[in-house]
Amino acid sequence: MRLKVILAAIVVVVVVVLAVIWQSSRSAPTALPSVIELTNLPDHYCPTTAAVMVTDLVVTKPQVIFDSSEPVVSCRQIELKNLLGLGNTSRFVLVKLPMAVAFRLQVDSATGHYDSAPSLGDVNGDNIIDTVDEQQVNSALLTADAALIKKDDIDQDGQVSVLDLGLTRINRRAGVDRPDGKSWSLQ
Amino acid sequence: MSRISVSTRTAFILACVVTIILIAGSAILSRIVFKAATSSATVYFNPSAPVVKTGEVTDVDVLTNFGAAAELVGAQLSVKYDPQLLSYVDVVPATNWQVIKATPESGQLEVIELPISQTSQSLRAGQPVALATLRFRAVAAGQSTLSFDPASTIIATTDSSLGHSIDNSLASVQDAQVSTGTLSLADQAANAQVRLDAASQTASGSVASQRIAGDQALLAPETALILVSLQQPARLTVRFGPTKALSNTVSYATLAAQAAVKINGLKPGERYYYQVVAGTSDGASQTLGQLKSFQLPLVSTQTTVDHASLTIFPAQTDVATNAYALFYDADGKIITGLEPKFSADNSAVGFGSLSEQTGLYQAPLNATATSKAIVSAKLTLGDQELASASVLIDPNLNTAPSPTVLSAVTIDQKTINLLLALVGALLVFGLAFLKLSRAR
């Protein structure tokens, strides 16, 4: 009797889990293949290029396979087909976007789809979001100076506002360093 | 009395099963909750109609109120006032807040605030939160509107579950009328009475806020139907126009918490801007929605339907509501001249005669249900079912004491099926457990 109950319970659980998975998959948008999708970014934020590196999976002194600037398609996608050295071998891809700290993700296939949510707030381009960035944005709040807006308008909505200031406060962190010890060229 | 004994292994398995089911159930329910309540904020003044003698200073609190729990990161307040009547004195931050910047310039005050010690402040839904106190001195006699500029006012919130982004959660703003001059005590009492009439009082004595809970636009080639839900009944107006100047106005005839405001005579393919305005019956206070825009679809020359939409508004009713349908071709253009049919899975619900206005199909939905029921309505064309939507029929809706607006809740048929499956699964599990206990 106990076995029957356990089996019934297992069946119930499997049905519920399958139902949840089915429901989730029905509502999930279709994922594009062969891209790194940049997610959870402000609506107006539209980077045109990103600094991209591809390395092997060695953490200490990795071999750099690719190091170049890549176009960001439709403001949100970095196409994997352009990245040399990606096949079906697992690689690290390092990405540095303007106003964001660099991030790293493991890519196992050039035909896969990968999501990443970059952290915005690095207005001085040192790959760290800290009080220096906060102070820089703070001093430019509500400015009408076009040069300052270009420099400190993180979310690219046309004004240096509390939204930009907030990004420098909630995203306090350091980005991934380049394996060769150099500075990221794209700010 | 016999004792029920369950082995440790069985108890462990049962605990695991119950946990998994609860996790799955909560995941499903959270999806619905997120659909029902987004973190839309309203910003308003308290009091909404302050009275001040010439030469004296008046304090006006700035408060915000969220439709759902939120993490508040910062606030940017853009306040307009009449510099001929009022002179800015000071801004005092609320407890745990700091003013980063305050710039008064010719009738417009910009204030930026942040939480003091933490990067964000957790807020509960529906709980008014003070942001700051603005201090003005009356310099001449008259009436000045104290209003927020919705284009520049920002309520910055974050959702840590969605990564590291920040959104502006501001959905609506509510202005205030400041009376200045050499007022007698009788005048002040009269004005205070106006204030009490203008905004309902909460139990704590503070002025309750109006909120535009949601507005959705159904777009046909020559018609836009703006579906508006408010927290409290109000006099509704939609300002609209081809530019942000919003040169045209459509008003809803009666005080309502939910209204479908139709704008006719528009040009297909053109972009229009609009703003929902909810005013009190005496005009003492207004709540402005955000400036939004839409682009009207074009008329299709085809008759082959690619997809369709069915909207029932209000989605919660006691006896009557309306169903709206739109049919699109593969290019997203609107197909006109069709003869669709509405139907429901409950005999207590019936549809009135169908009408079409250049691609916007509409039919009244009448309910005779005597008990609360969720009814699934279907839109069919020929033999093909193209869309479905749910409506909550509640005969006691108008007698309910709470004015809570639930029209934003859109539970589709699949979700209902899933919930029913979950409830059924729990029932089966309970029965099995009962049987096991008896067998022991």
Side-chain angles (χ1 to χ4, degrees):
Chain A
M1 173 57 71
R2 188 194 303 166
L3 188 62
K4 286 182 180 175
V5 172
I6 293 171
L7 280 174
I10 291 172
V11 168
V12 168
V13 170
V14 168
V15 167
V16 170
V17 170
L18 287 176
V20 170
I21 293 171
W22 173 74
Q23 177 75 1
S24 303
S25 64
R26 292 278 295 177
S27 56
T30 308
L32 293 171
S34 306
V35 295
I36 296 172
E37 186 91 31
L38 307 171
T39 62
N40 298 322
L41 291 170
D43 291 345
H44 295 95
Y45 179 76
C46 184
T48 53
T49 56
V52 180
M53 293 184 82
V54 178
T55 72
D56 59 22
L57 293 186
V58 179
V59 177
T60 55
K61 292 192 177 177
Q63 183 190 352
V64 177
I65 299 162
F66 179 84
D67 181 7
S68 182
S69 288
E70 278 297 308
V72 180
V73 179
S74 304
C75 306
R76 292 293 182 270
Q77 292 155 6
I78 298 171
E79 294 184 345
L80 295 175
K81 66 181 182 185
N82 300 332
L83 308 185
L84 296 175
L86 280 179
N88 288 323
T89 310
S90 295
R91 305 287 190 197
F92 279 141
V93 175
L94 289 70
V95 178
K96 173 79 168 80
L97 291 162
M99 305 270 192
V101 290
F103 66 87
R104 181 180 71 186
L105 75 163
Q106 184 174 329
V107 172
D108 298 318
S109 166
T111 57
H113 177 96
Y114 302 89
D115 285 340
S116 186
S119 296
L120 294 180
D122 180 22
V123 287
N124 63 357
D126 63 356
N127 202 27
I128 302 170
I129 302 173
D130 54 13
T131 52
V132 178
D133 299 292
E134 182 181 341
Q135 285 165 6
Q136 182 175 323
V137 174
N138 195 343
S139 60
L141 280 171
L142 304 176
T143 183
D145 186 330
L148 280 178
I149 292 174
K150 187 178 180 182
K151 202 174 169 187
D152 299 319
D153 179 17
I154 301 169
D155 60 5
Q156 298 180 358
D157 64 350
Q159 62 170 335
V160 183
S161 70
V162 72
L163 295 172
D164 304 299
L165 191 58
L167 284 168
T168 63
R169 285 166 60 88
I170 67 163
N171 284 338
R172 291 276 171 83
R173 71 202 67 202
V176 177
D177 291 329
R178 284 175 58 99
D180 55 11
K182 295 178 183 174
S183 298
W184 288 98
S185 58
L186 191 67
Q187 294 189 0
Chain B
M1 182 181 288
S2 63
R3 293 184 62 188
I4 301 170
S5 64
V6 180
S7 72
T8 306
R9 191 175 64 176
T10 307
F12 177 75
I13 292 172
L14 289 175
C16 289
V17 167
V18 170
T19 304
I20 292 171
I21 290 174
L22 289 176
I23 290 171
S26 66
I28 296 167
L29 288 174
S30 69
R31 289 166 63 87
I32 297 169
V33 169
F34 278 123
K35 279 183 182 178
T38 54
S39 293
S40 59
T42 187
V43 183
Y44 59 104
F45 297 104
N46 186 25
S48 61
V51 180
V52 58
K53 283 184 179 177
T54 307
E56 291 187 351
V57 172
T58 184
D59 289 354
V60 184
D61 295 334
V62 176
L63 297 99
T64 185
N65 195 334
F66 282 79
E71 288 287 323
L72 187 54
V73 174
Q76 180 172 315
L77 310 171
S78 181
V79 179
K80 290 180 179 175
Y81 58 95
D82 185 350
Q84 308 293 326
L85 302 180
L86 295 173
S87 159
Y88 166 75
V89 176
D90 195 9
V91 54
V92 181
T95 309
N96 298 325
W97 283 81
Q98 58 183 325
V99 173
I100 301 297
K101 195 178 187 83
T103 52
E105 281 182 10
S106 62
Q108 180 141 352
L109 171 65
E110 305 280 354
V111 178
I112 292 182
E113 285 192 294
L114 295 174
I116 288 179
S117 55
Q118 298 174 323
T119 54
S120 64
Q121 182 180 354
S122 299
L123 302 179
R124 284 185 293 171
Q127 184 184 30
V129 175
L131 296 174
T133 300
L134 308 181
R135 308 190 78 199
F136 292 96
R137 185 183 304 280
V139 293
Q143 278 234 330
S144 170
T145 300
L146 208 56
S147 62
F148 295 101
D149 179 359
S152 305
T153 299
I154 296 170
I155 299 297
T157 57
T158 185
D159 185 345
S160 54
S161 65
L162 293 176
H164 326 288
S165 66
I166 286 182
D167 291 313
N168 181 9
S169 291
L170 184 71
S172 56
V173 295
Q174 187 172 329
D175 59 10
Q177 295 289 333
V178 183
S179 301
T180 60
T182 52
L183 299 164
S184 65
L185 286 177
D187 293 334
Q188 291 188 31
N191 277 312
Q193 186 60 44
V194 169
R195 185 179 71 196
L196 291 174
D197 291 343
S200 60
Q201 294 278 315
T202 63
S204 61
S206 61
V207 178
S209 67
Q210 174 66 281
R211 176 188 293 114
I212 297 172
D215 64 283
Q216 174 192 0
L218 296 183
L219 305 176
E222 297 175 0
T223 306
L225 192 67
I226 312 294
L227 309 177
V228 185
S229 297
L230 303 174
Q231 186 169 326
Q232 303 168 41
R235 198 166 295 286
L236 262 175
T237 304
V238 176
R239 296 175 186 156
F240 71 98
T243 66
K244 292 181 180 177
L246 306 179
S247 51
N248 305 82
T249 300
V250 174
S251 295
Y252 199 70
T254 57
L255 285 177
Q258 295 183 315
V261 182
K262 192 176 279 186
I263 306 174
N264 298 307
L266 305 177
K267 291 180 182 174
E270 292 292 311
R271 177 165 291 279
Y272 290 88
Y273 296 85
Y274 75 99
Q275 183 180 42
V276 175
V277 180
T280 51
S281 55
D282 58 1
S285 178
Q286 281 191 333
T287 298
L288 306 180
Q290 282 202 324
L291 183 66
K292 296 183 176 181
S293 71
F294 56 76
Q295 185 168 14
L296 291 176
L298 298 171
V299 179
S300 173
T301 54
Q302 303 176 23
T303 55
T304 306
V305 176
D306 182 71
H307 61 282
S309 72
L310 172 62
T311 304
I312 297 179
F313 186 85
Q316 180 181 357
T317 184
D318 51 351
V319 290
T321 182
N322 285 296
Y324 304 95
L326 291 161
F327 295 87
Y328 303 87
D329 67 9
D331 298 326
K333 295 178 181 175
I334 296 291
I335 302 175
T336 60
L338 300 175
E339 294 184 358
K341 285 184 180 172
F342 296 102
S343 60
D345 63 355
N346 189 321
S347 58
V349 171
F351 288 90
S353 59
L354 178 81
S355 62
E356 184 204 343
Q357 188 170 358
T358 331
L360 177 64
Y361 300 83
Q362 177 181 345
L365 184 156
N366 301 308
T368 55
T370 54
S371 60
K372 207 170 179 177
I374 294 176
V375 176
S376 176
K378 291 175 183 172
L379 174 66
T380 55
L381 188 65
D383 296 331
Q384 193 180 5
E385 182 186 325
L386 291 169
S388 65
S390 298
V391 58
L392 175 63
I393 308 295
D394 183 359
N396 301 319
L397 185 65
N398 283 337
T399 57
S402 170
T404 305
V405 176
L406 287 177
S407 69
V409 180
T410 53
I411 305 174
D412 59 18
Q413 188 59 44
K414 289 188 181 66
T415 309
I416 293 169
N417 292 342
L418 204 57
L419 282 173
L420 291 175
L422 186 65
V423 171
L426 285 171
L427 191 64
V428 170
F429 180 73
L431 288 173
F433 186 71
L434 185 66
K435 198 169 183 180
L436 171 68
S437 65
R438 285 184 176 170
R440 303 284 298 186

mmCIF file of all heavy atoms in Angstrom, chain B residues 27-62:
data_model
loop_
_atom_site.group_PDB
_atom_site.id
_atom_site.type_symbol
_atom_site.label_atom_id
_atom_site.label_comp_id
_atom_site.label_asym_id
_atom_site.label_seq_id
_atom_site.Cartn_x
_atom_site.Cartn_y
_atom_site.Cartn_z
ATOM 1 N N ALA B 27 5.253 29.028 -7.603
ATOM 2 C CA ALA B 27 5.806 29.562 -8.858
ATOM 3 C C ALA B 27 4.692 29.988 -9.801
ATOM 4 O O ALA B 27 4.748 31.055 -10.415
ATOM 5 C CB ALA B 27 6.686 28.512 -9.523
ATOM 6 N N ILE B 28 3.666 29.161 -9.868
ATOM 7 C CA ILE B 28 2.538 29.495 -10.746
ATOM 8 C C ILE B 28 1.818 30.739 -10.228
ATOM 9 O O ILE B 28 1.505 31.664 -10.981
ATOM 10 C CB ILE B 28 1.556 28.310 -10.817
ATOM 11 C CG1 ILE B 28 2.242 27.105 -11.463
ATOM 12 C CG2 ILE B 28 0.306 28.683 -11.602
ATOM 13 C CD1 ILE B 28 1.482 25.825 -11.298
ATOM 14 N N LEU B 29 1.567 30.750 -8.925
ATOM 15 C CA LEU B 29 0.835 31.882 -8.362
ATOM 16 C C LEU B 29 1.625 33.177 -8.497
ATOM 17 O O LEU B 29 1.069 34.231 -8.734
ATOM 18 C CB LEU B 29 0.510 31.618 -6.893
ATOM 19 C CG LEU B 29 -0.575 30.558 -6.678
ATOM 20 C CD1 LEU B 29 -0.734 30.247 -5.204
ATOM 21 C CD2 LEU B 29 -1.900 31.029 -7.248
ATOM 22 N N SER B 30 2.952 33.075 -8.363
ATOM 23 C CA SER B 30 3.751 34.293 -8.487
ATOM 24 C C SER B 30 3.639 34.875 -9.880
ATOM 25 O O SER B 30 3.665 36.082 -10.064
ATOM 26 C CB SER B 30 5.214 34.002 -8.156
ATOM 27 O OG SER B 30 5.786 33.189 -9.148
ATOM 28 N N ARG B 31 3.487 33.984 -10.881
ATOM 29 C CA ARG B 31 3.327 34.489 -12.247
ATOM 30 C C ARG B 31 2.049 35.312 -12.346
ATOM 31 O O ARG B 31 1.992 36.348 -12.984
ATOM 32 C CB ARG B 31 3.265 33.328 -13.242
ATOM 33 C CG ARG B 31 4.599 32.630 -13.413
ATOM 34 C CD ARG B 31 4.391 31.311 -14.111
ATOM 35 N NE ARG B 31 3.871 31.520 -15.445
ATOM 36 C CZ ARG B 31 4.601 31.727 -16.504
ATOM 37 N NH1 ARG B 31 5.897 31.778 -16.392
ATOM 38 N NH2 ARG B 31 4.067 31.901 -17.685
ATOM 39 N N ILE B 32 0.999 34.838 -11.680
ATOM 40 C CA ILE B 32 -0.277 35.557 -11.721
ATOM 41 C C ILE B 32 -0.167 36.854 -10.950
ATOM 42 O O ILE B 32 -0.622 37.900 -11.384
ATOM 43 C CB ILE B 32 -1.388 34.673 -11.136
ATOM 44 C CG1 ILE B 32 -1.552 33.439 -12.002
ATOM 45 C CG2 ILE B 32 -2.692 35.439 -11.049
ATOM 46 C CD1 ILE B 32 -2.409 32.389 -11.386
ATOM 47 N N VAL B 33 0.472 36.786 -9.774
ATOM 48 C CA VAL B 33 0.594 37.978 -8.951
ATOM 49 C C VAL B 33 1.351 39.058 -9.708
ATOM 50 O O VAL B 33 0.987 40.222 -9.716
ATOM 51 C CB VAL B 33 1.304 37.637 -7.626
ATOM 52 C CG1 VAL B 33 1.680 38.914 -6.894
ATOM 53 C CG2 VAL B 33 0.387 36.788 -6.756
ATOM 54 N N PHE B 34 2.412 38.663 -10.432
ATOM 55 C CA PHE B 34 3.174 39.654 -11.180
ATOM 56 C C PHE B 34 2.327 40.255 -12.301
ATOM 57 O O PHE B 34 2.487 41.408 -12.650
ATOM 58 C CB PHE B 34 4.451 39.040 -11.749
ATOM 59 C CG PHE B 34 5.547 38.982 -10.737
ATOM 60 C CD1 PHE B 34 6.163 37.792 -10.406
ATOM 61 C CD2 PHE B 34 5.956 40.123 -10.085
ATOM 62 C CE1 PHE B 34 7.164 37.744 -9.468
ATOM 63 C CE2 PHE B 34 6.959 40.092 -9.135
ATOM 64 C CZ PHE B 34 7.567 38.893 -8.825
ATOM 65 N N LYS B 35 1.429 39.439 -12.853
ATOM 66 C CA LYS B 35 0.548 39.999 -13.874
ATOM 67 C C LYS B 35 -0.402 41.007 -13.253
ATOM 68 O O LYS B 35 -0.746 41.996 -13.840
ATOM 69 C CB LYS B 35 -0.283 38.883 -14.525
ATOM 70 C CG LYS B 35 0.445 38.117 -15.593
ATOM 71 C CD LYS B 35 -0.494 37.118 -16.187
ATOM 72 C CE LYS B 35 0.193 36.285 -17.247
ATOM 73 N NZ LYS B 35 -0.704 35.284 -17.803
ATOM 74 N N ALA B 36 -0.846 40.701 -12.017
ATOM 75 C CA ALA B 36 -1.895 41.511 -11.428
ATOM 76 C C ALA B 36 -1.369 42.817 -10.880
ATOM 77 O O ALA B 36 -2.028 43.836 -10.943
ATOM 78 C CB ALA B 36 -2.579 40.732 -10.316
ATOM 79 N N ALA B 37 -0.181 42.791 -10.322
ATOM 80 C CA ALA B 37 0.288 43.982 -9.623
ATOM 81 C C ALA B 37 1.715 44.315 -10.015
ATOM 82 O O ALA B 37 2.642 43.638 -9.625
ATOM 83 C CB ALA B 37 0.212 43.753 -8.125
ATOM 84 N N THR B 38 1.869 45.323 -10.826
ATOM 85 C CA THR B 38 3.202 45.788 -11.137
ATOM 86 C C THR B 38 3.516 46.961 -10.222
ATOM 87 O O THR B 38 2.628 47.555 -9.643
ATOM 88 C CB THR B 38 3.284 46.248 -12.602
ATOM 89 O OG1 THR B 38 2.252 47.199 -12.808
ATOM 90 C CG2 THR B 38 3.099 45.075 -13.538
ATOM 91 N N SER B 39 4.783 47.292 -10.116
ATOM 92 C CA SER B 39 5.194 48.334 -9.187
ATOM 93 C C SER B 39 4.944 49.716 -9.785
ATOM 94 O O SER B 39 5.877 50.436 -10.092
ATOM 95 C CB SER B 39 6.677 48.160 -8.849
ATOM 96 O OG SER B 39 6.840 46.995 -8.124
ATOM 97 N N SER B 40 3.693 50.064 -9.981
ATOM 98 C CA SER B 40 3.379 51.392 -10.484
ATOM 99 C C SER B 40 3.210 52.332 -9.304
ATOM 100 O O SER B 40 2.491 52.022 -8.364
ATOM 101 C CB SER B 40 2.112 51.345 -11.327
ATOM 102 O OG SER B 40 1.045 50.856 -10.554
ATOM 103 N N ALA B 41 3.870 53.463 -9.376
ATOM 104 C CA ALA B 41 3.859 54.397 -8.255
ATOM 105 C C ALA B 41 3.073 55.644 -8.609
ATOM 106 O O ALA B 41 3.025 56.063 -9.763
ATOM 107 C CB ALA B 41 5.279 54.778 -7.890
ATOM 108 N N THR B 42 2.465 56.207 -7.604
ATOM 109 C CA THR B 42 1.856 57.516 -7.755
ATOM 110 C C THR B 42 2.546 58.460 -6.772
ATOM 111 O O THR B 42 2.989 58.039 -5.710
ATOM 112 C CB THR B 42 0.336 57.461 -7.504
ATOM 113 O OG1 THR B 42 -0.232 58.711 -7.821
ATOM 114 C CG2 THR B 42 0.013 57.107 -6.070
ATOM 115 N N VAL B 43 2.671 59.712 -7.162
ATOM 116 C CA VAL B 43 3.289 60.710 -6.294
ATOM 117 C C VAL B 43 2.274 61.826 -6.071
ATOM 118 O O VAL B 43 1.616 62.258 -7.021
ATOM 119 C CB VAL B 43 4.567 61.286 -6.936
ATOM 120 C CG1 VAL B 43 5.246 62.261 -5.995
ATOM 121 C CG2 VAL B 43 5.521 60.184 -7.287
ATOM 122 N N TYR B 44 2.135 62.252 -4.835
ATOM 123 C CA TYR B 44 1.100 63.245 -4.550
ATOM 124 C C TYR B 44 1.498 64.122 -3.371
ATOM 125 O O TYR B 44 2.489 63.843 -2.673
ATOM 126 C CB TYR B 44 -0.234 62.553 -4.270
ATOM 127 C CG TYR B 44 -0.237 61.589 -3.112
ATOM 128 C CD1 TYR B 44 -0.809 61.944 -1.893
ATOM 129 C CD2 TYR B 44 0.300 60.322 -3.234
ATOM 130 C CE1 TYR B 44 -0.837 61.058 -0.827
ATOM 131 C CE2 TYR B 44 0.285 59.428 -2.180
ATOM 132 C CZ TYR B 44 -0.286 59.803 -0.976
ATOM 133 O OH TYR B 44 -0.298 58.912 0.067
ATOM 134 N N PHE B 45 0.726 65.184 -3.187
ATOM 135 C CA PHE B 45 0.977 66.127 -2.095
ATOM 136 C C PHE B 45 -0.010 65.893 -0.961
ATOM 137 O O PHE B 45 -1.143 65.467 -1.177
ATOM 138 C CB PHE B 45 0.808 67.578 -2.587
ATOM 139 C CG PHE B 45 1.770 67.990 -3.652
ATOM 140 C CD1 PHE B 45 1.364 68.084 -4.971
ATOM 141 C CD2 PHE B 45 3.086 68.292 -3.345
ATOM 142 C CE1 PHE B 45 2.235 68.473 -5.969
ATOM 143 C CE2 PHE B 45 3.972 68.689 -4.336
ATOM 144 C CZ PHE B 45 3.552 68.783 -5.647
ATOM 145 N N ASN B 46 0.420 66.210 0.231
ATOM 146 C CA ASN B 46 -0.460 66.191 1.392
ATOM 147 C C ASN B 46 -0.116 67.393 2.278
ATOM 148 O O ASN B 46 1.026 67.508 2.722
ATOM 149 C CB ASN B 46 -0.286 64.884 2.170
ATOM 150 C CG ASN B 46 -1.281 64.769 3.308
ATOM 151 O OD1 ASN B 46 -2.351 65.371 3.258
ATOM 152 N ND2 ASN B 46 -0.921 64.015 4.324
ATOM 153 N N PRO B 47 -1.060 68.299 2.509
ATOM 154 C CA PRO B 47 -2.447 68.287 2.056
ATOM 155 C C PRO B 47 -2.581 68.613 0.577
ATOM 156 O O PRO B 47 -1.674 69.185 -0.019
ATOM 157 C CB PRO B 47 -3.089 69.378 2.909
ATOM 158 C CG PRO B 47 -1.979 70.306 3.232
ATOM 159 C CD PRO B 47 -0.757 69.460 3.372
ATOM 160 N N SER B 48 -3.745 68.240 0.027
ATOM 161 C CA SER B 48 -3.945 68.478 -1.400
ATOM 162 C C SER B 48 -4.462 69.896 -1.670
ATOM 163 O O SER B 48 -4.476 70.319 -2.816
ATOM 164 C CB SER B 48 -4.936 67.455 -1.953
ATOM 165 O OG SER B 48 -6.173 67.595 -1.304
ATOM 166 N N ALA B 49 -4.903 70.592 -0.623
ATOM 167 C CA ALA B 49 -5.375 71.978 -0.806
ATOM 168 C C ALA B 49 -4.936 72.832 0.379
ATOM 169 O O ALA B 49 -5.761 73.234 1.200
ATOM 170 C CB ALA B 49 -6.887 71.989 -0.966
ATOM 171 N N PRO B 50 -3.657 73.102 0.500
ATOM 172 C CA PRO B 50 -3.199 73.900 1.640
ATOM 173 C C PRO B 50 -3.644 75.359 1.539
ATOM 174 O O PRO B 50 -3.840 75.887 0.445
ATOM 175 C CB PRO B 50 -1.675 73.782 1.557
ATOM 176 C CG PRO B 50 -1.391 73.436 0.145
ATOM 177 C CD PRO B 50 -2.564 72.667 -0.357
ATOM 178 N N VAL B 51 -3.789 75.960 2.712
ATOM 179 C CA VAL B 51 -4.191 77.369 2.800
ATOM 180 C C VAL B 51 -3.117 78.110 3.582
ATOM 181 O O VAL B 51 -2.700 77.656 4.643
ATOM 182 C CB VAL B 51 -5.543 77.493 3.519
ATOM 183 C CG1 VAL B 51 -5.957 78.953 3.621
ATOM 184 C CG2 VAL B 51 -6.605 76.677 2.802
ATOM 185 N N VAL B 52 -2.663 79.240 3.072
ATOM 186 C CA VAL B 52 -1.597 79.965 3.757
ATOM 187 C C VAL B 52 -1.792 81.474 3.591
ATOM 188 O O VAL B 52 -2.192 81.947 2.520
ATOM 189 C CB VAL B 52 -0.208 79.511 3.244
ATOM 190 C CG1 VAL B 52 -0.071 79.717 1.747
ATOM 191 C CG2 VAL B 52 0.903 80.224 3.981
ATOM 192 N N LYS B 53 -1.534 82.202 4.689
ATOM 193 C CA LYS B 53 -1.641 83.659 4.633
ATOM 194 C C LYS B 53 -0.421 84.237 3.936
ATOM 195 O O LYS B 53 0.668 83.671 4.003
ATOM 196 C CB LYS B 53 -1.725 84.227 6.045
ATOM 197 C CG LYS B 53 -3.084 84.086 6.706
ATOM 198 C CD LYS B 53 -3.056 84.773 8.051
ATOM 199 C CE LYS B 53 -4.400 84.684 8.739
ATOM 200 N NZ LYS B 53 -4.369 85.289 10.071
ATOM 201 N N THR B 54 -0.624 85.373 3.314
ATOM 202 C CA THR B 54 0.483 86.052 2.650
ATOM 203 C C THR B 54 1.592 86.362 3.657
ATOM 204 O O THR B 54 1.323 86.866 4.746
ATOM 205 C CB THR B 54 -0.003 87.353 1.997
ATOM 206 O OG1 THR B 54 -1.109 87.060 1.161
ATOM 207 C CG2 THR B 54 1.096 87.999 1.170
ATOM 208 N N GLY B 55 2.800 85.999 3.289
ATOM 209 C CA GLY B 55 3.948 86.235 4.158
ATOM 210 C C GLY B 55 4.302 85.054 5.030
ATOM 211 O O GLY B 55 5.406 84.984 5.564
ATOM 212 N N GLU B 56 3.377 84.099 5.138
ATOM 213 C CA GLU B 56 3.652 82.925 5.973
ATOM 214 C C GLU B 56 4.154 81.761 5.130
ATOM 215 O O GLU B 56 4.022 81.747 3.903
ATOM 216 C CB GLU B 56 2.393 82.515 6.738
ATOM 217 C CG GLU B 56 2.010 83.540 7.812
ATOM 218 C CD GLU B 56 0.863 83.040 8.678
ATOM 219 O OE1 GLU B 56 0.262 81.996 8.343
ATOM 220 O OE2 GLU B 56 0.573 83.717 9.681
ATOM 221 N N VAL B 57 4.699 80.778 5.836
ATOM 222 C CA VAL B 57 5.283 79.614 5.170
ATOM 223 C C VAL B 57 4.348 78.415 5.359
ATOM 224 O O VAL B 57 3.794 78.213 6.442
ATOM 225 C CB VAL B 57 6.675 79.295 5.757
ATOM 226 C CG1 VAL B 57 7.202 77.964 5.201
ATOM 227 C CG2 VAL B 57 7.651 80.415 5.442
ATOM 228 N N THR B 58 4.174 77.645 4.298
ATOM 229 C CA THR B 58 3.366 76.419 4.391
ATOM 230 C C THR B 58 4.227 75.207 4.050
ATOM 231 O O THR B 58 5.123 75.288 3.197
ATOM 232 C CB THR B 58 2.148 76.480 3.456
ATOM 233 O OG1 THR B 58 1.359 75.309 3.648
ATOM 234 C CG2 THR B 58 2.553 76.551 1.987
ATOM 235 N N ASP B 59 3.971 74.119 4.748
ATOM 236 C CA ASP B 59 4.672 72.860 4.487
ATOM 237 C C ASP B 59 3.764 71.930 3.682
ATOM 238 O O ASP B 59 2.606 71.728 4.048
ATOM 239 C CB ASP B 59 5.051 72.163 5.794
ATOM 240 C CG ASP B 59 6.174 72.895 6.516
ATOM 241 O OD1 ASP B 59 6.702 73.857 5.931
ATOM 242 O OD2 ASP B 59 6.512 72.497 7.645
ATOM 243 N N VAL B 60 4.301 71.369 2.618
ATOM 244 C CA VAL B 60 3.545 70.399 1.819
ATOM 245 C C VAL B 60 4.381 69.129 1.720
ATOM 246 O O VAL B 60 5.511 69.158 1.220
ATOM 247 C CB VAL B 60 3.253 70.949 0.399
ATOM 248 C CG1 VAL B 60 2.387 69.964 -0.377
ATOM 249 C CG2 VAL B 60 2.581 72.306 0.475
ATOM 250 N N ASP B 61 3.831 68.028 2.224
ATOM 251 C CA ASP B 61 4.554 66.752 2.153
ATOM 252 C C ASP B 61 4.427 66.150 0.760
ATOM 253 O O ASP B 61 3.376 66.251 0.123
ATOM 254 C CB ASP B 61 3.989 65.761 3.176
ATOM 255 C CG ASP B 61 4.228 66.225 4.607
ATOM 256 O OD1 ASP B 61 5.204 66.978 4.812
ATOM 257 O OD2 ASP B 61 3.451 65.850 5.495
ATOM 258 N N VAL B 62 5.492 65.507 0.330
ATOM 259 C CA VAL B 62 5.464 64.747 -0.920
ATOM 260 C C VAL B 62 5.489 63.264 -0.553
ATOM 261 O O VAL B 62 6.384 62.816 0.166
ATOM 262 C CB VAL B 62 6.662 65.078 -1.819
ATOM 263 C CG1 VAL B 62 6.646 64.207 -3.069
ATOM 264 C CG2 VAL B 62 6.656 66.543 -2.184
#
